[in-house]
């Protein structure tokens, strides 16, 4: 996707729906379908004030969330009907089908007594919703407000199967971190390699967004998204003029797709619209895409990485990662069987080196690359047939070494 000028997304709809009668309890998607005039009126206001892409109001319309209201079996129908409402509200606008967190913990996170979704389950949940959104006529898919890199990866893997462009945003705090500790740079490296059309942050302050964008821009091969909140820590709201003045900093920092999250009204979009033509999209002329990542750190590999000898997946793996830092520039790990994968995921949290996977089992490699929250290296000197090895690495955005 090549942009010459920034694109304007619509703002936040949840708070505005409450102003139009939604109590905040119960299923927002079901309430919207029962009161279609509320979302149509709101989205028309965003379009009239300059928004070029309008979200379908499908934030919580995945099977996992709808199950809490006994609506899981209506997932596809609810998504189709909500997209139709957005099309009615914005007939000349692009409609972004909205996929957001399941509300469940996803491996490798969670406590022993807490039910945790597997990556396969998460991909299936998002794929069901993504297919329904495409069938309803969505022009692109927006994976938004993700709080862990692995849930963003699961949604992206599912969404990209539709063939539609997929935008991904991470919700970050004032330190620029998600709930799982991810920051934007490793997310950009991982998600752009996995096929995202644009990556960025939302549901954060403008200063936090600016810091994350500035760090990620030199390594971004895709447009960067900024959707900060207009809501202030004390509960107040930035005026449209102040919001647009602050957003000018984000446009200057390289944001190419902009909009708003909590507290942003159509009036905020109107003033922001007036800024866009002044800001051509900034792109780094020499982007270094040869980088691996964990959830909290990016690793730039240089011309000749020196991996360690294969480290066994055992109880000493965390210590082996730490020891490898003194001699090597990558930690090569021998993952022999499925039972090794949880050991790797747990120990990887302490690694300050990019991780390279060595395995002779294609099914094990597929499972590792699905579950690892980041971008891995794959050792090509293994017994997996070369074409299959390349296909698996490409599918998950891994680097074949």
């Amino acid at each position: 996707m090549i942009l010459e000028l920034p694109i304007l997304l619509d703002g936040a709809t949840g708070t505005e729906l409450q102003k139009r009668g939604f109590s905040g309890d119960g299923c927002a998607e079901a309430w919207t379908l029962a009161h279609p005039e509320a979302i149509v009126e709101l989205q028309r206001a965003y379009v009239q004030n300059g928004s070029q892409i309008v979200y379908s109001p499908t934030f919580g319309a995945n099977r996992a969330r709808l199950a809490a209201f006994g609506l899981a079996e209506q997932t596809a129908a609810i998504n189709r009907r909500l997209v139709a409402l957005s099309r009615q509200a914005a007939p000349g606008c692009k409609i972004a089908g909205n996929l957001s967190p399941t509300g469940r913990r996803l491996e490798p996170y969670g406590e022993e007594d807490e039910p945790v979704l597997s990556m396969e389950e998460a991909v299936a949940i998002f794929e069901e919703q993504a297919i329904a959104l495409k069938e309803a006529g969505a022009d692109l898919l927006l994976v938004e407000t993700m709080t862990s890199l692995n849930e963003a990866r699961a949604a992206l893997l599912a969404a990209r199967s539709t063939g539609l462009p997929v935008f991904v945003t991470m919700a970050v705090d004032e330190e620029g971190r998600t709930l799982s500790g991810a920051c934007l740079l490793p997310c950009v490296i991982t998600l752009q390699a996995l096929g995202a059309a644009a990556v960025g942050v939302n549901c954060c302050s403008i200063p936090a967004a600016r810091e994350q964008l500035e760090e990620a821009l030199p390594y971004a091969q895709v447009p960067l998204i900024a959707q900060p909140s207009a809501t202030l820590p004390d509960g107040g709201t930035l005026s449209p003029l102040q919001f647009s003045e602050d957003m000018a900093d984000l446009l200057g920092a390289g944001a190419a797709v902009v909009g708003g999250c909590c507290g942003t009204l159509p009036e905020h979009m109107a003033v922001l619209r007036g800024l866009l033509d002044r800001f051509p999209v900034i792109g780094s002329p020499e982007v270094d895409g040869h980088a691996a990542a964990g959830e909290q750190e990016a690793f730039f590999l240089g011309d000749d990485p020196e991996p360690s000898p294969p480290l066994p997946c055992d109880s000493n793996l965390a210590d082996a990662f730490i020891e490898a830092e003194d001699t090597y520039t990558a930690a090569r790990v021998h993952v022999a069987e499925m039972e090794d994968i949880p050991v790797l995921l747990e120990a990887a949290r302490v690694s300050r080196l990019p991780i390279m996977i060595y395995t002779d089992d294609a099914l094990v490699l597929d499972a590792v690359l699905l579950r690892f929250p980041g971008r891995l290296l794959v050792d090509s000197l293994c017994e997996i047939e070369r074409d299959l090895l390349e296909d698996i690495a490409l599918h998950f955005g891994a680097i074949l070494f």
Side-chain angles (χ1 to χ4, degrees):
M1 176 178 294
I2 298 174
L3 304 175
E4 294 182 355
L5 293 172
I7 289 175
L8 184 62
L9 291 159
D10 74 10
T13 58
T15 303
E16 286 302 291
L17 285 181
Q18 291 188 35
K19 293 179 181 178
R20 286 162 168 76
F22 176 52
S23 67
D25 298 322
C27 179
E29 290 71 30
W31 183 90
T32 299
L33 290 173
H35 303 83
E37 69 287 346
I39 194 67
V40 170
E41 176 191 11
L42 177 58
Q43 293 193 322
R44 280 179 179 163
Y46 280 119
V47 173
Q48 290 165 359
N49 283 277
S51 295
Q52 297 160 290
I53 298 176
V54 170
Y55 291 11
S56 61
T58 54
F59 183 95
N62 60 65
R63 175 175 288 268
R65 284 189 176 273
L66 291 175
F69 306 104
L71 298 172
E73 299 309 310
Q74 299 180 45
T75 297
I78 288 171
N79 278 275
R80 287 194 292 266
R81 291 173 64 194
L82 290 169
V83 171
L85 286 179
S86 292
R87 186 65 70 192
Q88 178 185 344
C93 230
K94 290 191 179 297
I95 305 299
N98 190 314
L99 300 96
S100 296
T102 62
R104 299 274 302 279
R105 290 260 190 180
L106 185 65
E107 64 175 343
Y109 311 104
E111 305 298 331
E112 291 184 1
D113 59 348
E114 178 184 19
V116 176
L117 281 180
S118 70
M119 283 292 287
E120 288 90 349
E121 290 171 324
V123 171
I125 288 169
F126 288 122
E127 189 167 36
E128 176 186 28
Q129 187 182 12
I131 290 171
L133 291 168
K134 180 182 180 180
E135 290 175 346
D139 300 292
L140 66 148
L141 299 176
L142 175 69
V143 174
E144 73 147 336
T145 316
M146 287 294 159
T147 59
S148 77
L149 181 52
N150 253 8
E151 191 162 29
R153 291 177 65 250
L156 176 55
L157 283 165
R160 75 178 192 188
S161 68
T162 66
L164 295 175
V166 185
F167 292 4
V168 186
T169 62
M170 311 297 296
V172 299
D173 60 18
E174 288 307 298
E175 301 301 319
R177 299 278 177 175
T178 70
L179 285 177
S180 63
C183 56
L184 183 59
L185 177 57
C187 291
V188 167
I189 288 169
T190 300
L191 298 171
Q192 68 186 11
L194 206 57
V199 181
V201 291
N202 77 315
C203 201
C204 58
S205 71
I206 291 175
R210 181 172 58 247
E211 182 178 348
Q212 295 298 300
L213 292 174
E214 289 174 342
E215 182 182 21
L217 181 63
Y219 310 103
Q221 298 171 315
V222 297
L224 295 180
I225 306 169
Q227 284 190 276
S229 300
T231 301
L232 297 169
D234 63 4
T237 302
L238 288 169
S239 70
L241 179 59
Q242 185 62 59
F243 180 75
S244 67
E245 290 176 351
D246 292 346
M247 286 294 289
D249 289 341
L250 300 188
L251 289 161
V257 182
V258 292
C261 194
C262 307
T264 48
L265 307 177
E267 301 92 286
H268 291 86
M269 297 297 100
V271 182
L272 183 56
R273 170 68 259 181
L275 288 177
L276 297 193
D277 293 343
R278 292 166 35 196
F279 290 90
V281 171
I282 298 172
S284 175
E286 296 183 5
V287 174
D288 182 2
H290 194 55
E295 186 153 31
Q296 300 184 33
E297 192 168 355
F299 305 101
F300 300 97
L301 304 174
D303 296 329
D304 192 20
E306 184 178 355
S308 69
L311 306 174
C313 273
D314 59 24
S315 59
N316 296 317
L317 183 57
D319 290 336
F321 278 142
I322 295 170
E323 292 172 7
E325 295 174 22
D326 294 334
T327 309
Y328 304 101
T329 58
R332 178 165 33 193
V333 182
H334 182 201
V335 186
E337 55 190 4
M338 294 293 185
E339 289 72 15
D340 289 341
I341 297 175
V343 178
L344 168 65
L345 296 178
E346 179 66 28
R349 299 178 187 184
V350 306
S351 179
R352 293 297 175 263
L353 294 175
I355 295 174
M356 177 184 295
I357 302 302
Y358 169 77
T359 184
D360 293 320
D361 188 322
L363 293 177
V364 169
L365 179 61
D366 190 274
V368 172
L369 296 183
L370 173 64
R371 286 164 173 74
F372 186 82
R375 189 186 192 199
L376 289 167
L377 301 168
V378 175
D379 190 341
S380 62
L381 298 178
C382 63
E383 308 238 342
I384 301 173
E385 192 268 326
R386 181 72 187 198
D387 288 346
L388 177 58
L389 184 65
E390 291 177 352
D391 286 346
I392 295 172
L394 178 63
H395 182 76
F396 291 106
I399 300 171
L400 200 57
F401 181 79

